Amino acid sequence: YFSWEVLRFLLSNLRMWIEDYRFDGFRFDGVTSMLYHHHGIGTGFSGDYNEYFGLHVDEDALCYLMLANHMINSLHPECITIAEDVSGMPALCRPVAEGGGGFDYRLAMAIPDKWIQIIKELKDEDWNMGNIVHTLTNRRYEEKYIAYAESHDQALVGDKTLAFRLMDAEMYTNMSVLVPLTPVIDRGIQLHKMIRLITHALGGESYLNFMGNEFGHPEWLDFPRIGNNESYHYARRQFNLTEDDLLRYKFLNAFDRDMNRLEERFGWLASPQAYVSEKHEANKVIAFERAGLVFIFNFHPYQSYVDYRVVIFKYKILLDSDAGEYGGHQRLDHNTEYFSEEYPHNYRPNSLMV
């Protein structure tokens, strides 16, 4: 229960951080535990509306969140608020005027969990394309989500970044361009680029990258604490790694740069959710359209394709994870323009062989 004094204190806290410290927004942690009297403990949210509306909802907490968002939006509309909610409460990220919770975004928390689960538990040939697409597109209609390929929690206190989980110890010995490209590093670099791009393009209405990530350090990050005798040994980021022309981190960094530049040019994050035309389990191919672009991903561990039919009208390569500047194998010709034919494919009237 919130007394009026507590409510005023909490709201004034938010205003102080904005006006005195120039914060440009807030991520509200653990919103799920606030929204329900059961705090989300032992509850699997399937999406049924009975799970979100009833006496188990903490109306005082929900009212506070609506007030907080309304106040921030009214006084400082330039500030954004983000909900860390795993339950999927409907309208949490719609305006208070519509009866919503008033948040601008919610974190798509299932996405980084899904990538870690896939990499830890499945062989490459067992990746499920439909399950990947479902995880990346399973979000409330007209509520904005922040997609991210890996969580900061994965790079803290003993867990691993995506790159370290993919390549592990070889990152210390085989990331130099002066040594032969090993299967582990090759697989890790190629999957890393594809995971980030498909998350960026399909997973939400904004994209989050934690500062430095594995471009700033290959390993997990650990802050000084009692458990490590207050050690600073792992409390650092090596931002020089991407600037070393002899290391393959530069390829990952270059791909991230160009991925973001391409989004700035075409604005897929601000576009309607993608139309997925293909999720082929045997071929391990995912294809979708968004913002006038066609994205095609081949997740097959060893099979490349020649003359592959996709739904498309006119096609020129804009970003290719297989390009040489991104540590790829340069198997595609970037100078070719492709035109579609009236050949129905995947419920579309026109298609193209690539």
Side-chain angles (χ1 to χ4, degrees):
Y1 174 74
F2 285 106
S3 71
W4 184 239
E5 290 79 15
V6 171
L7 194 61
R8 287 173 66 98
F9 173 73
L10 291 172
L11 293 174
S12 64
N13 244 341
L14 292 169
R15 191 168 178 181
M16 178 199 71
W17 287 109
I18 296 170
E19 296 180 357
D20 292 351
Y21 290 93
R22 298 292 186 263
F23 272 40
D24 56 8
F26 299 95
R27 165 185 168 270
F28 283 68
D29 191 88
V31 168
T32 308
S33 67
M34 295 178 65
L35 289 174
Y36 311 96
H37 291 297
H38 55 59
H39 306 301
I41 297 171
T43 306
F45 291 93
S46 67
D48 187 283
Y49 276 15
N50 291 318
E51 297 166 343
Y52 307 107
F53 304 112
L55 296 177
H56 55 287
V57 175
D58 190 328
E59 292 181 348
D60 285 330
L62 182 56
C63 186
Y64 159 68
L65 292 172
M66 293 170 72
L67 275 171
N69 285 316
H70 177 69
M71 182 196 74
I72 293 168
N73 188 253
S74 300
L75 295 174
H76 298 281
E78 74 282 3
C79 289
I80 63 169
T81 57
I82 302 164
E84 188 205 46
D85 169 46
V86 295
S87 75
M89 167 69 85
L92 187 66
C93 301
R94 294 301 298 173
V96 173
E98 295 181 2
F103 283 98
D104 295 298
Y105 297 90
R106 76 166 95 223
L107 290 170
M109 298 172 68
I111 296 175
D113 290 345
K114 174 57 65 176
W115 288 125
I116 286 298
Q117 181 220 334
I118 288 171
I119 291 168
K120 282 175 70 172
E121 298 177 8
L122 299 180
K123 297 176 182 176
D124 289 359
E125 53 267 30
D126 295 334
W127 286 30
N128 185 299
M129 301 296 103
N131 186 245
I132 290 171
V133 169
H134 174 75
T135 303
L136 289 167
T137 57
N138 182 28
R139 52 189 187 269
R140 292 275 175 208
Y141 180 64
E142 290 200 340
E143 295 191 46
K144 291 186 286 190
Y145 280 65
I146 295 175
Y148 52 120
E150 55 190 322
S151 167
H152 64 294
D153 294 332
Q154 293 164 213
L156 292 171
V157 194
D159 211 336
K160 299 176 179 179
T161 62
L162 261 183
F164 205 61
R165 197 168 281 286
L166 285 166
M167 297 179 275
D168 216 87
E170 286 203 25
M171 292 183 78
Y172 294 110
T173 56
N174 297 329
M175 283 299 269
S176 170
V177 297
L178 301 177
V179 301
L181 185 64
T182 66
V184 168
I185 296 297
D186 191 15
R187 170 184 175 271
I189 285 179
Q190 312 318 329
L191 277 178
H192 196 273
K193 289 177 291 186
M194 294 172 69
I195 286 170
R196 292 165 81 84
L197 180 59
I198 198 171
T199 300
H200 202 310
L202 194 59
E205 288 67 43
S206 56
Y207 179 76
L208 174 62
N209 181 58
F210 289 96
M211 187 177 71
N213 245 355
E214 59 288 328
F215 305 147
H217 195 277
E219 210 170 10
W220 50 276
L221 187 69
D222 197 6
F223 295 112
R225 55 193 173 86
I226 295 174
N228 64 13
N229 295 319
E230 306 295 339
S231 171
Y232 282 84
H233 185 68
Y234 290 110
R236 69 197 191 284
R237 284 292 196 223
Q238 296 183 42
F239 290 102
N240 59 301
L241 294 177
T242 55
E243 296 163 9
D244 191 332
D245 205 43
L246 295 178
L247 294 178
R248 293 188 167 103
Y249 296 99
K250 67 178 182 180
F251 299 136
L252 300 177
N253 194 48
F255 185 78
D256 251 46
R257 176 198 65 208
D258 292 345
M259 173 176 71
N260 284 307
R261 283 179 177 170
L262 192 67
E263 196 287 323
E264 281 184 21
R265 183 176 160 194
F266 288 93
W268 64 68
L269 290 171
S271 298
Q273 194 163 324
Y275 174 82
V276 180
S277 59
E278 181 161 341
K279 37 193 177 181
H280 200 298
E281 299 302 341
N283 294 345
K284 295 285 180 272
V285 169
I286 295 171
F288 59 89
E289 305 161 38
R290 194 176 186 189
L293 301 174
V294 175
F295 297 84
I296 308 167
F297 294 84
N298 176 12
F299 282 101
H300 203 289
Y302 53 84
Q303 182 70 58
S304 294
Y305 299 105
V306 178
D307 295 339
Y308 197 90
R309 186 167 294 280
V310 292
V311 174
I312 203 164
F313 293 93
K314 181 184 174 185
Y315 168 72
K316 185 170 175 61
I317 295 173
L318 294 173
L319 184 66
D320 174 17
S321 67
D322 199 40
E325 63 262 39
Y326 311 134
H329 297 282
Q330 307 175 64
R331 286 169 286 199
L332 299 178
D333 180 5
H334 289 209
N335 296 316
T336 306
E337 273 198 347
Y338 304 90
F339 294 89
S340 68
E341 54 188 326
E342 291 185 24
Y343 186 102
H345 182 68
N346 281 339
Y347 308 104
R348 297 295 234 209
N350 292 55
S351 62
L352 166 77
M353 198 78 81
V354 295

